[in-house]
Amino acid sequence: MLKLFKTILKTGDATLKYPFAPAPVCDNFRGKPEYTPEQCIACGACAVACPPNAITMKARPEAGTHTWELFLGNCIFCGRCEEVCPTKAIVLSKEFELAVGNKADLYQNATFRIANCACCGKPFAPQKAVEYAIDVLKQTGANAQVVEERRKLLETCSDCKRKQSIHAGEMIELRRYLDEGKDA
Amino acid sequence: MSSLAETKTGQHYIDALRQRFPSTVLQEEWQTRDQVTVTVKLNSLPEVVEWLYYNQGGWISVLFGNDERSIHGNFAVYYVLSMEAGTKCYVVIRAEVDARTGEFPSVTPKVPACVWGEREIRDMYGLRPVGLPDERRLVLPDDWPDNLHPLRKDTMDYRVRPEPTSDTENYKFVNDASGETREIPLGPLHITSDEPGHFRLFVDGEDIIDADYRMFYVHRGMEKAAETRMGYDEVTFLADRVCGICGFAHSVAYATSVENALGIVVPDRAQLIRSVMLEVERLHSHLLNIGLACHFVGFDTGFMQFFRVREKSMTLAELLTGARKTYGINLIGGVRRDIQKAERDATLKLLGELKKEVAELVDMLLDTPNLAQRTSGIGRLDPKVARDYSPVGPNVRASGIARDTRADHAPTGYKLFQLPVRTKDSCDVLGRVLIRVEEFFDSIHFIEQALANMPVGPLLVEGFKYTPHKFGLGFVEAPRGEDIHWSMLGDNQKLFRWRARASTYANWPPLRYMLRGNTISDAPLIVASIDPCYSCTDRVTMVDIRKGKSVTVPYQEIERYGRERKNSPLK
């Protein structure tokens, strides 16, 4: 019994002053995801990876936009989005105080423009993703002429690319299979 | 496949089975070197399971149905037996059930451990176990429509909520008492923990003559959601949320089941990190239960102290994974996070503090005369009952039976460092508390050893092949006993069937026998001693059958009476 009193005395106050003093968390704590739209290329990798569908991408081709949205109410703070993001546009912070008075405050979104295919004119990919690809190409040290040649390719949708490569290669046989595939 | 054939463990069970029951085995399929699925003729199912269970040292881990009509036209039932006498392996007995008759012979009359599983198959698939003594619903609520079986592939979307068919509870509680008894319902709702239950105690004066209970008030339909809504690689995060205490154990069990199905070999380092986190989880869970044991015997200061120290184990989890609970570090094929040197040093420091502080507190707890007085000889789990019902974890180990998945099947990183299996012969609440205390220190020792000898290498296997309709078992020893998962992959990057069995599911059925012969004031203590996903009930209604009047007493009152044992609320 005496030992018990000793332990109690030695321990003193076990409670924290929180919320009047900050409650520290460990490094690498997985808290609220911080999103930087300027960094984002709207590739949608995070929306594919997100297990609870807290991150969604909505394409509106008629308006020519692509909207990225995060609903914190669904977020499980797993950090898969951070892991798959190619541009570090989303990073988990240490923030854990997420209560809001208004549900709308739990939503965060950003709208991006969709690029139209240089060939058929149909919308096919986010403008920023196309620009990112061209920038990466420049970074590899390709000269201006190569970049211009490739730009055409990068600004073309995959359907058109497929058709072009078949025409260019004179692979008539292949084209037949392609059309057959469509019918089936 | 040739290397698999050479190292098979447990082939002799199958050979003996073929010899004992000629022309019964229709098919034999090995998932891993110590995991085999044997398809038998439907009519010999009870005999085969009984023979493996009682004659060959098998224990029922889990049983479940599967709607395989889209694959071969029939339903199937699977009985998973963990073989633990001599050669240790998993033998899964599978039988196909005709989709038109929907009937299969019940195994429960021969092996009582099958009772919950067969009742669940009846609810979820509408298959009828012929000869099942207890035909009440288990999982589905009383007001659920009769012919709606949620896990059939063609019945319903996972978002559908059917209209209730009745306004009253019509569940019949079973009372085996011969004389007159009073009836005490405990529950049913608003329980602090994640699995509310409704207990009905049948008492004579202060003595519990019999008990019955109803669970699944918060059945979340996770299996259905996983099968229809999520990708198979995302389910690790859902499995993390099966339980608020041993979630990581479920996540590892799920990931292992898919890895076993696809033949993925997880790198050693990843396996050991998983084991370290499983042991960290055990630290906090055991401290929680020891704390609660203090609380229920009226030693509240001890409860406060254990919970204060427990905070250190929560910090440990936060440090190593980035979250106090729902660690979320598992992926199919390995883990997402390494343990760095700084984290290792901080962990070792925290472990040292924990070891010292808990040792002092345990000394104090064991010196308290109240503890032995209140727990010794209470809530006896007879080894015979244990053998019939296949309970798991400290619950069964306190009855002198050395069942521990870590030792028996050495999942994940436990191959690298052996852990002792702690058993006690007292069969009572005290034994279960003492086992948890010993295991707590074993876990600390294991983590220290693992961190000092962490193998070097990759954390994750990438580039494996997803093969439709492969299936496998995954298992770990969670703080409360074996968690076992069975997964079958579909052909759409989803699961065809996921069966997750938490350890407490195996511990509920024998609880009835543990409650018999004790007094009402011991009931909360006994229920807490299996460390269920349930710890407290909202209020208690007492029905005096002789006088025909009922009294409603707040739960705090019966809990207070459990601790102080003065001023009985029954008087």
Side-chain angles (χ1 to χ4, degrees), chain B residues 170-220:
Chain B
N170 45 31
Y171 190 78
K172 277 198 174 59
F173 289 91
V174 172
N175 178 9
D176 283 351
S178 48
E180 248 184 296
T181 50
R182 276 176 157 188
E183 205 175 316
I184 304 184
L186 294 178
L189 286 171
H190 190 51
I191 315 300
T192 54
S193 234
D194 47 9
E195 194 166 21
H198 185 152
F199 279 72
R200 190 84 40 129
L201 304 179
F202 300 100
V203 299
D204 183 9
E206 292 287 302
D207 298 323
I208 302 171
I209 307 298
D210 203 354
D212 196 12
Y213 25 86
R214 174 131 170 82
M215 303 290 149
F216 301 95
Y217 287 96
V218 281
H219 194 274
R220 288 167 288 178

Side-chain angles (χ1 to χ4, degrees), chain A residues 1 3-5 7-8 10-12 14 24-31 47-54 75-81 83, chain B residues 229-230 233-234 237 241 299 301-302 305 308 315 318-319 321-329 331 336-337 343 356 360-361 363-364 367-368:
Chain A
M1 207 33 110
K3 264 206 231 148
L4 181 62
F5 287 127
T7 314
I8 295 169
K10 204 172 70 192
T11 310
V25 291
C26 296
D27 292 341
N28 295 325
F29 177 81
R30 301 197 310 264
V48 173
C50 183
N53 291 0
C75 181
I76 59 168
F77 311 100
C78 62
R80 286 291 273 163
C81 47
E83 231 168 44
Chain B
R229 139 88 176 79
M230 302 189 82
D233 54 339
E234 292 168 345
F237 297 99
R241 285 155 180 82
F299 180 37
T301 318
Q305 295 298 328
R308 173 179 63 80
T315 311
E318 188 187 315
L319 179 80
T321 67
R324 285 161 59 91
K325 279 310 306 167
T326 52
Y327 304 158
I329 62 166
L331 290 180
R336 298 165 60 198
R337 238 188 97 137
E343 288 160 351
K356 190 168 152 284
E360 282 172 15
L361 287 177
D363 276 347
M364 245 177 269
D367 281 346
T368 315

Side-chain angles (χ1 to χ4, degrees), chain B residues 553-566:
Chain B
V553 186
Y555 176 70
Q556 281 92 327
E557 182 63 11
I558 195 149
E559 202 198 281
R560 176 204 60 78
Y561 177 56
R563 282 185 278 127
E564 296 170 9
R565 307 229 275 182
K566 269 187 244 162

Side-chain angles (χ1 to χ4, degrees), chain B residues 11-79:
Chain B
Q11 178 70 52
H12 70 274
Y13 290 121
I14 312 306
D15 296 341
L17 184 72
R18 283 180 192 274
Q19 206 166 19
R20 179 78 175 70
F21 301 96
S23 69
T24 295
V25 176
L26 302 175
Q27 200 193 350
E28 173 187 336
E29 194 184 333
W30 290 78
Q31 278 76 51
T32 65
R33 49 175 283 277
D34 54 359
Q35 222 180 87
V36 58
T37 303
V38 184
T39 307
V40 299
K41 284 188 182 153
L42 188 64
N43 285 335
S44 51
L45 177 70
E47 284 76 26
V48 169
V49 174
E50 183 193 23
W51 182 75
L52 282 170
Y53 192 93
Y54 286 110
N55 292 43
Q56 301 292 311
W59 296 76
I60 285 283
S61 280
V62 60
L63 55 140
F64 51 88
N66 194 9
D67 183 356
E68 294 175 4
R69 285 176 296 174
S70 57
I71 303 173
H72 51 68
N74 291 330
F75 286 96
V77 287
Y78 292 78
Y79 288 69

Side-chain angles (χ1 to χ4, degrees), chain B residues 235-242 246-257 274 328-331 476 483 485:
Chain B
V235 175
T236 48
F237 297 99
L238 180 68
D240 247 336
R241 285 155 180 82
V242 167
C246 59
F248 188 70
H250 282 284
S251 171
V252 173
Y254 169 69
T256 320
S257 72
R274 280 182 180 174
I329 62 166
N330 265 326
L331 290 180
V476 292
D483 277 350
H485 286 218

